[in-house]
Amino acid sequence: ARPLRLRPNFHPKRLLREACILSRLRHPNVVRYVGCYEFGESLRLVMERVRGQELFEAILESQSLSEEVARPIIRQLTGALAYLHESRIAHRDVKPENVLVLGSPATWGKGLPDAGIIKLCDFGLCADIQGGHELTDFVGSPGFFAPELFCEASYRGDLADAWSLGSVVLECVLGHRAFDDLWCPPYDDL
């Protein structure tokens, strides 16, 4: 692999936007960007290696997370989102599958180094909100969309992230099956 040298006619916009935004971010709860490399005709983003699992897998493994277990996870995720918003970035796809957690729920809070530390990842749908908050494209994942994406011509990315965070909290404490049964049917109606 060699460091990326952009050619004028080569524009995989989403990947390049993700690389540009990630290169600006430094936070303990945001996956660290290492670099972007060219392999033939493709680009590869390289991130730090996180030895853990998706929060979604942890929720499935435990059926649901107790408030005691969920609280530090949500606190870290809230801190990561606050940092992003202060940096004028909206993630726009906050969901348990995009939150990596070190260790398994059984090790969280047991004094093991790094157990229960989260890393927010997958910035493929993120948006730079420096020029104003109003966004118009419909992105995200079912069950985590803010209502304004359905009902308004434009929306604030930071507020949409806050709604998605609330949905993550709900899935953590209810468990995936109950979250899916209770929360997702209204999206089908929309």
Side-chain angles (χ1 to χ4, degrees):
R2 61 183 188 270
L4 177 65
R5 290 188 326 271
L6 295 178
R7 295 185 301 272
N9 60 350
F10 191 65
H11 296 288
K13 291 179 183 176
R14 182 176 287 174
L15 189 63
L16 291 176
R17 180 183 64 227
E18 183 175 0
C20 289
I21 287 176
L22 280 169
S23 69
R24 297 180 357 213
L25 303 176
R26 296 284 181 273
H27 189 274
N29 300 120
V30 173
V31 70
R32 188 175 45 83
Y33 170 77
V34 174
C36 189
Y37 297 90
E38 190 175 354
F39 289 87
E41 292 299 312
S42 66
L43 291 177
R44 307 279 169 85
L45 287 183
V46 179
M47 310 289 179
E48 76 176 299
R49 184 174 182 179
V50 178
R51 294 181 187 268
Q53 61 183 331
E54 294 176 355
L55 180 58
F56 180 73
E57 293 167 344
I59 294 167
L60 289 179
E61 180 183 307
S62 302
Q63 303 297 320
S64 66
L65 303 179
S66 69
E67 211 175 297
E68 243 176 48
V69 170
R71 190 179 300 118
I73 300 302
I74 299 305
R75 185 177 298 123
Q76 292 173 74
L77 182 55
T78 302
L81 287 172
Y83 169 76
L84 288 179
H85 298 159
E86 289 166 9
S87 300
R88 314 308 294 154
I89 304 296
H91 187 278
R92 303 194 308 165
D93 198 19
V94 177
K95 60 184 179 181
E97 291 89 333
N98 290 338
V99 178
L100 303 174
V101 188
L102 292 124
S104 70
T107 65
W108 300 346
K110 304 285 192 238
L112 297 173
D114 298 332
I117 302 295
I118 69 107
K119 298 282 185 172
L120 183 60
C121 66
D122 192 355
F123 284 74
L125 299 177
C126 66
D128 192 326
I129 53 176
Q130 287 187 25
H133 285 289
E134 297 301 313
L135 302 168
T136 58
D137 50 340
F138 189 90
V139 298
S141 297
F144 302 93
F145 294 124
E148 53 265 36
L149 271 75
F150 294 105
C151 306
E152 304 293 331
S154 63
Y155 62 95
R156 286 183 44 182
D158 57 342
L159 297 181
D161 282 352
W163 177 275
S164 299
L165 173 65
S167 298
V168 170
V169 171
L170 192 61
E171 186 166 7
C172 282
V173 297
L174 288 179
H176 176 66
R177 181 173 298 286
F179 173 80
D180 210 31
D181 292 345
L182 172 75
W183 196 245
C184 291
Y187 286 94
D188 294 338
D189 295 338
L190 293 171

